[in-house]
Amino acid sequence: MTLKKYIKNDEPIRIVQIVGKMNNGGVETVVMNYYRNIDRSKVQFDFIIDADSKHPPVEEIEQLGGRAYIVAPYKNMMKYIFQIYRVVKNNNYKIVHSHLNTMSVFPLLAAFLAGASIRIAHNHSTAVKGEPKTLLKNLLKPFAKIFATHYFTCSEHAGRWLFGDECFEKGIVKVVNNAIDLDKFKFNESTRTIIRAELGIEDKFVIGHVGRVVYPKNHDFIIDIFEQIYLRNKNARLLLVGEGNLKENILKKIKTLKLENAIVFLGVIDDVAPIYQAMDAFVLPSLYEGFGMVGIEAQAAGIKLFCSEAVPEEIKVSDLVEFISLEKPAAYWAQRILKHIDIEYERLKYNEQVGRAGYNIQTEAEKLLNYYYTILL
């Protein structure tokens, strides 16, 4: 069997990516990173996007040669499944790649009914007790593999969580690294000077965080940590990038603690890479992570990274990473971070180190392309 039956007039093979809501989150960033860097003369991505997305990059997708299909939000489940079925059926997609974690059971059901022969369930997440979504995740977890023909994951931890130890150990689950454009994150002293001047933090010790303002990212504790840092060092500043449903709560807490003048809340930024240059340390006290791509970005920029033990160990690709238990108080986290305030080191060298660990998007995009071709044969 050859690929000829899938290729018409030397056009690229079209693969539809089901990404749910596109709100500048980590999953969408990963998919778009691969899309920008994959050989689009051989493989082209189309996207199925929820209608209530806040930042869908439809214009960029179309400029790169893709198509964007807007469907009903999955809250309207029957309509959601039917509209995905219609998109897959009408376009005769052979590969449907879903990034909805446990929720992938629904779009992959639609793809199965539409006749897609290759249906990929890609897991980017895990769960933790106490989050409302955890109950739903646990209910859907046993059904995650029913309509999937192939299993992808962002890390061993996330792969074992959703697909099980047996599947992972048999090599059935493919790890697709959350790779990045290393050149964009390479440390640049000039960029650092410009960004810090624009933000009015030229001579400050800057702690940063990039992530949606949602429960798993633990912004409440980030503010607690920074409060303890600021009590010890009034020259410290906190730089927050992201939006989310808990932002108003966090803003109220910042105001209550009288930290408004010490915290810069930037919201959503299309190109976050230059912002990393302004940081001196990065804090990631997540309650859970499928992987934590921002940790790779931080290391590529040469930033010291302080993670909770809930972040997968695969994130540690350099000696910049320190894991700290969430059972430790905010004051302990603050002490660990401030311990490194005067330690000088060469930030530039870490960019290549991240690449050697398998997070160079150019290399990883080629691997993904070859894998798509392999499963079509």
Side-chain angles (χ1 to χ4, degrees):
M1 186 182 295
T2 69
L3 290 169
K4 289 183 179 179
K5 70 175 185 176
Y6 300 110
I7 302 173
K8 297 179 181 179
N9 301 320
D10 294 322
E11 292 182 359
I13 296 168
R14 286 196 172 266
I15 298 168
V16 66
Q17 307 285 339
I18 301 177
V19 290
K21 302 181 197 318
M22 297 196 82
N23 297 329
N24 275 22
V27 175
E28 307 98 282
T29 300
V30 170
V31 180
M32 290 301 295
N33 279 347
Y34 272 95
Y35 186 33
R36 295 179 187 113
N37 290 277
I38 205 163
D39 186 343
R40 294 185 299 280
S41 69
K42 296 179 180 178
V43 166
Q44 182 58 250
F45 287 0
D46 294 335
F47 290 77
I48 294 178
I49 304 168
D50 285 10
D52 56 352
S53 297
K54 295 179 181 177
H55 303 282
V58 173
E59 185 176 347
E60 182 183 4
I61 289 168
E62 292 175 346
Q63 287 175 347
L64 293 173
R67 304 164 186 157
Y69 299 97
I70 309 300
V71 299
Y74 54 72
K75 290 180 181 178
N76 190 343
M77 187 56 70
M78 294 304 294
K79 190 174 182 180
Y80 176 74
I81 291 173
F82 174 73
Q83 290 185 348
I84 292 176
Y85 165 84
R86 190 167 57 186
V87 170
V88 175
K89 186 75 172 178
N90 290 348
N91 292 280
N92 195 30
Y93 289 111
K94 300 304 177 187
I95 300 181
V96 176
H97 190 159
S98 176
H99 299 268
L100 302 192
N101 310 320
T102 56
M103 290 288 292
S104 286
V105 61
F106 300 111
L108 292 185
L109 165 61
F112 168 76
L113 294 173
S117 56
I118 297 168
R119 304 176 299 275
I120 301 169
H122 195 147
N123 188 40
H124 299 266
S125 185
T126 57
V128 68
K129 291 180 180 178
E131 185 187 23
K133 288 183 179 179
T134 297
L135 177 60
L136 178 60
K137 287 181 179 181
N138 288 334
L139 288 172
L140 293 176
K141 191 175 176 181
F143 304 100
K145 296 184 285 185
I146 289 181
F147 299 108
T149 59
H150 294 76
Y151 313 143
F152 282 16
T153 184
C154 61
S155 68
E156 178 178 346
H157 177 61
R160 288 181 181 274
W161 180 83
L162 183 58
F163 302 117
D165 292 335
E166 184 177 352
C167 280
F168 196 91
E169 287 163 10
K170 285 182 177 179
I172 297 172
V173 182
K174 178 174 179 57
V175 177
V176 178
N177 288 336
N178 287 358
I180 62 174
D181 185 340
L182 292 173
D183 287 340
K184 289 178 62 177
F185 291 90
K186 185 182 297 183
F187 179 68
N188 185 298
E189 188 70 53
S190 176
T191 302
R192 174 179 171 84
T193 300
I194 292 169
I195 298 297
R196 287 170 74 96
E198 288 178 352
L199 297 175
I201 53 175
E202 295 98 319
D203 59 345
K204 307 302 181 183
F205 176 64
V206 181
I207 300 98
H209 177 84
V210 178
R212 289 181 301 136
V213 190
V214 292
Y215 177 78
K217 303 302 179 183
N218 207 7
H219 280 76
D220 195 66
F221 191 51
I222 291 174
I223 303 304
D224 290 340
I225 293 169
F226 181 71
E227 181 192 20
Q228 293 298 317
I229 290 173
Y230 192 67
L231 285 172
R232 294 162 172 78
N233 187 335
K234 291 297 187 291
N235 198 47
R237 294 293 182 269
L238 176 63
L239 199 55
L240 297 174
V241 180
E243 295 279 353
N245 64 303
L246 296 180
K247 182 176 179 179
E248 289 304 315
N249 292 348
I250 297 303
L251 289 173
K252 287 178 183 177
K253 179 167 185 171
I254 291 170
K255 187 174 182 179
T256 299
L257 296 174
K258 295 182 171 55
L259 293 172
E260 304 102 307
N261 295 328
I263 297 177
V264 181
F265 221 130
L266 294 176
V268 171
I269 297 176
D270 289 333
D271 183 11
V272 73
I275 304 301
Y276 281 93
Q277 307 302 322
M279 300 176 187
D280 299 302
F282 194 98
V283 61
L284 190 63
S286 304
L287 296 169
Y288 67 87
E289 287 281 356
F291 180 68
M293 187 177 69
V294 292
I296 292 295
E297 293 173 346
Q299 288 175 86
I303 303 169
K304 184 68 180 177
L305 177 63
F306 298 87
C307 300
S308 73
E309 293 178 342
V311 176
E313 290 185 6
E314 291 107 304
I315 201 74
K316 184 178 174 65
V317 298
S318 74
D319 61 6
L320 291 173
V321 181
E322 179 174 341
F323 291 100
I324 305 175
S325 171
L326 286 174
E327 294 182 2
K328 296 289 186 181
Y332 179 84
W333 281 70
Q335 290 169 2
R336 298 302 305 165
I337 293 169
L338 286 170
K339 182 179 178 182
H340 297 272
I341 191 169
D342 294 321
I343 298 177
E344 294 186 4
Y345 60 91
E346 176 55 56
R347 286 179 61 163
L348 194 58
K349 70 177 183 179
Y350 288 98
N351 193 267
E352 289 186 4
Q353 193 168 336
V354 171
R356 289 195 298 271
Y359 295 94
N360 183 331
I361 190 60
Q362 283 81 25
T363 303
E364 298 307 303
E366 185 176 356
K367 290 179 182 178
L368 179 61
L369 183 149
N370 290 334
Y371 190 75
Y372 280 140
Y373 268 62
T374 298
I375 59 180
L376 274 171
L377 288 172

